[in-house]
Amino acid sequence: MQAVQFSEHGDTDVIEYGEFPDPEPADDEVLVDVKAAALNHLDIWTRRGLPGIDLEMPHIPGSDAAGVVTEVGADVDRFEAGDHVAVSAGVSCGSCEFCRDGEPTMCVDFHILGEHVRGVHAEQAAVPADNLVPVPDHVDWEVAGSASLVFQTAWRMLVTRADLQPGEKVLVLGASGGVGHAALQIAKYVGAEVYATASSEEKLDYAEELGADEVINYEQEDFDDAIRDITGYRGVDVVVDHIGAATWNKSLASLAKGGRIVTCGATTGPNPETDVNRIFWNQLEVIGSTMGTPGEVDDVLELVWEGEFEPRVRDTLPMSETARAHEMLQEREGFGKVVVRPDSEL
C-alpha cells in the first residue's frame, strides 16, 4: 500500500508518501480502506519528536481517518465488510483501576494512534475494533474523517470536565483551529455565551458564523483586556486554553472569581509561568482533559452525523502532499481542519 511516513524526526521534508507493507488485522482488529483522514497539531509534534516517546521507524502518522471495512479479525462482532467507520484514536488497557472505573482516558497505559504507535494516514489501516465508530452512509468522507479527535476532546473538556452550564460565559482561544472551532460549537449548543479569539478578520467572521457572540482579534488587542471590557470587569466562567505558555496568564486574568480554565494541550509550550496568587485569591480551578470516553465519543459524533456540529474543512489534499498540509497547520493558514485523501481515491 501507499502510506504517509517518516524515518526520522524533523521538518516537513522528512515526510514521504510511498510503499509500506500491507497491514494484517489481528483477531481484535478491523482492516479499513481509508477514504479520508485529517491532520491535527499532534501530527506536527509527533513528526518533530516528543520527549519520552521512542517511535518505531518508519512511523505512519495520523489519528483521524474514516473509511470502509474490508476485513474483520476472528474476535470482532461489531463490524462487517462494507461498514462505514471512523477512527477514535485513544487506546486503553481495559483492566487498570481507571478503566474499570469507566475512565479509560486516565488509563495507566493510555496512548494515541499516530502519536505513540503507527497511525492511519495510509491507504489501509488495521485498527482495534474498540477504536472504531459506525458512520451513517450519508455522511461525507471529509466530515467522517475529520471530526473524531477534536470534537471528542472539546466535548469532554466542556461538558464533562468543566461541567459547562447554560447561560455561563465561555472564552474559546484559537477558535480557528480544530479543537477551538469544535469547542465554540459545543459551548453554543450547551447554551453558553461564547467569546472567541482568532488572528484575522476572516477567521473571526467564520467564528461568528459558527455562533460566537463576541470575537476578539488577539493580534490587535490583549484578549484579557478585551474580556474585562466586554463583561464589565467580571470575566468569564470558563476559558478553553489549548495554547499554553503564550496565553496562560492572560487566560487566568480573563476568568471571573470561581472560574475554570480547562486545557487539553499546549501548542506554544508546556511550561508557562503562572500567577498562583490569582489562582488562590480568585478561587480558580485548573482542569486538565484528554480525548474522550467511548460514551462521550458516541454522544458527540452522533450530533456531528446529524448535522448539529460541523467540522469545517479548510482544504483537502492528496496524501502525497501531506508535507504541505503540515505547513498549513504550522502557519495557521485558514479556518478548521486540513484533510488528506489517498491519491488512489482522487
Side-chain angles (χ1 to χ4, degrees):
M1 70 172 180
Q2 299 286 305
V4 179
Q5 56 195 287
F6 54 82
S7 296
E8 61 181 331
H9 295 295
D11 207 343
T12 56
D13 58 0
V14 302
I15 299 172
E16 300 178 356
Y17 184 63
E19 290 290 333
F20 199 91
D22 291 344
E24 296 183 6
D27 287 347
D28 64 343
E29 291 183 330
V30 171
L31 188 64
V32 178
D33 180 21
V34 174
K35 300 298 183 182
L39 275 72
N40 298 283
H41 274 281
L42 181 58
D43 296 308
I44 295 173
W45 301 123
T46 302
R47 186 244 305 154
R48 290 173 174 170
L50 289 163
I53 299 179
D54 185 16
L55 296 176
E56 179 183 0
M57 296 291 187
H59 180 72
I60 297 176
S63 304
D64 267 330
V68 178
V69 173
T70 58
E71 184 179 343
V72 299
D75 296 337
V76 176
D77 56 15
R78 289 182 60 223
F79 301 102
E80 59 184 22
D83 287 350
H84 290 196
V85 293
V87 174
S88 179
V91 183
S92 57
C93 74
S95 59
C96 72
E97 60 177 303
F98 300 103
C99 288
R100 289 172 63 82
D101 281 341
E103 289 290 358
T105 66
M106 297 183 186
C107 174
V108 297
D109 191 36
F110 189 77
H111 58 282
I112 297 175
L113 302 176
E115 179 184 9
H116 303 87
V117 296
R118 285 174 177 157
V120 292
H121 286 179
E123 288 183 320
Q124 300 179 73
V127 181
D130 288 344
N131 288 94
L132 292 174
V133 180
V135 177
D137 290 352
H138 73 269
V139 176
D140 290 342
W141 288 123
E142 284 83 357
V143 170
S146 63
S148 177
L149 189 144
V150 295
F151 275 93
Q152 69 174 281
T153 298
W155 184 269
R156 181 171 175 82
M157 289 175 77
L158 286 170
V159 176
T160 304
R161 299 288 289 148
D163 191 25
L164 182 65
Q165 297 298 308
E168 289 192 307
K169 301 179 187 296
V170 180
L171 171 61
V172 178
L173 302 188
S176 65
V179 169
H181 92 298
L184 192 166
Q185 295 177 68
I186 291 167
K188 197 66 181 177
Y189 175 79
V190 170
E193 187 173 341
V194 184
Y195 306 90
T197 73
S199 61
S200 72
E201 293 307 311
E202 180 184 14
K203 292 177 181 179
L204 294 174
D205 288 343
Y206 276 122
E208 288 182 319
E209 284 183 22
L210 291 179
D213 296 288
E214 298 277 354
V215 293
I216 301 165
N217 187 328
Y218 65 78
E219 294 286 0
Q220 297 180 357
E221 58 182 327
D222 291 332
F223 67 80
D224 55 331
D225 291 339
I227 287 295
R228 283 193 290 269
D229 288 343
I230 295 169
T231 63
Y233 288 87
R234 175 190 182 274
V236 298
D237 300 289
V238 176
V239 174
V240 176
D241 188 330
H242 49 94
I243 297 170
T247 56
W248 190 255
N249 278 334
K250 291 181 181 179
S251 293
L252 294 177
S254 300
L255 285 168
K257 284 182 175 289
R260 294 98 77 196
I261 181 170
V262 59
T263 178
C264 66
T267 57
T268 61
N271 296 304
E273 293 185 6
T274 195
D275 189 344
V276 176
N277 289 342
R278 185 184 295 275
I279 292 172
F280 72 71
W281 188 253
N282 287 348
Q283 302 185 55
L284 306 179
E285 294 182 55
V286 177
I287 304 169
S289 189
T290 297
M291 301 291 280
T293 67
E296 291 163 343
V297 173
D298 289 345
D299 289 345
V300 72
L301 289 186
E302 185 63 31
L303 292 169
V304 175
W305 308 154
E306 292 174 355
E308 182 70 42
F309 300 142
E310 176 191 359
R312 286 289 179 96
V313 176
R314 68 182 85 170
D315 207 350
T316 300
L317 302 173
M319 281 189 178
S320 58
E321 297 181 20
T322 295
R324 171 61 185 143
H326 276 236
E327 290 173 356
M328 293 178 69
L329 261 65
Q330 288 177 182
E331 301 303 320
R332 297 180 299 163
E333 298 178 24
F335 189 102
K337 303 286 289 181
V338 180
V339 172
V340 291
R341 301 192 67 177
D343 288 40
S344 57
E345 292 293 329
L346 300 173

